[in-house]
Amino acid sequence: MTAKERSIARTERIAVRAGVTTPGLRALPEEVPVALSFGGTTQAVMMATPQDLADFGVGFALSEAIVRSADDIASLEIVEADQGFDVQMQLAGDLQSAFSARRRKMAGPVGCGLCGIESIEEALRQLPDRDAVDIRFSHDDIRDAVRSLSMHQDLRAQTGAVHAAGFYRLGSGVACVREDIGRHNALDKLIGALAREGSNPADGAFVITSRVSVDMVQKAVIAGAGLLIAVSAPTALAVRTAEAAGLTLVGIARSADFEIFTRPDRIVQGAQSDVA
């Protein structure tokens, strides 16, 4: 059974449509515990969709600043457990001992991307400066990025119950899409996939199907992105964090409409209106 096949279950249900009941099967996304381990020690256990787990492990390591590049992971093995999976990673060189010295345990349900953080300083960590990212998106590019992401959501098409994160590259469209029941997991999987293939997030935009909390901004900035597009709204802290880091944040992007919250200089084309 492939990872994609393991990610979907078909469950009996009774559908009620206009008062008419019809028994049958419904495709639903699987949700399993996935441990993310370094040097034999579990760093986090996330409830996740069991596909693209190697991408998940690498992306998590990058967005948590455990490693700086995919090359810092010396080995990665996915081990099937009784009810889930363990993504076992070994860090290269002295990174493993350095990591062990600062290790913290986390337990991460899908609704929270900062579970297990032990201090305010960790939650509101210093981020790299992305002011120098040189990219320009037109209004049409943003519309196309959102539309293209929707067209590449295979799990959502079958289940209607997962988030997606995609990478849209100017001139070539959506280059990579990852899906998961958790919005943070989907973004980590995308970050990991891009790192493993050697793609530079600064060459395009991250597009996500969820709201933008501060941790989603942090992940995008740490990965190297200069533009984050979301179909939903950001939090106020997410906007302040994006502004401070030099990230262009576009939210509520639906059809041809969207709102620019930070660094509007990267968005070109289109008449401005005096109406708020």
Side-chain angles (χ1 to χ4, degrees), residues 123-190:
L124 304 179
R125 52 186 165 171
Q126 289 290 321
L127 296 176
D129 191 334
R130 300 305 179 197
D131 271 326
V133 174
D134 185 16
I135 193 167
R136 297 291 184 274
F137 264 58
S138 71
H139 294 189
D140 288 344
D141 292 327
I142 293 175
R143 179 191 62 196
D144 187 56
V146 175
R147 179 187 60 82
S148 299
L149 177 62
S150 179
M151 294 172 61
H152 287 83
Q153 291 176 240
D154 294 338
L155 279 180
R156 190 199 66 170
Q158 296 182 67
T159 68
V162 293
H163 284 295
F167 179 61
Y168 183 90
R169 184 181 286 117
L170 287 174
S172 57
V174 170
C176 184
V177 175
R178 291 294 181 265
E179 295 180 277
D180 198 278
I181 55 170
R183 57 198 174 94
H184 312 97
N185 300 343
L187 185 52
D188 275 340
K189 286 180 177 181
L190 176 67

Side-chain angles (χ1 to χ4, degrees), residues 34-47:
V34 176
L36 299 159
S37 302
F38 298 87
T41 301
T42 297
Q43 170 74 358
V45 178
M46 313 294 280
M47 298 307 296

Side-chain angles (χ1 to χ4, degrees), residues 10 35 59 111 150 160 175 190 219 237 264 269:
R10 284 171 173 79
S150 179
L190 176 67
K219 289 178 184 293
L237 180 57
Q269 180 182 311

Side-chain angles (χ1 to χ4, degrees), residues 167 169 175-176 190-203 206 223:
F167 179 61
R169 184 181 286 117
C176 184
L190 176 67
I191 291 169
L194 296 178
R196 294 177 71 204
E197 69 182 27
S199 294
N200 184 1
D203 292 338
F206 283 173

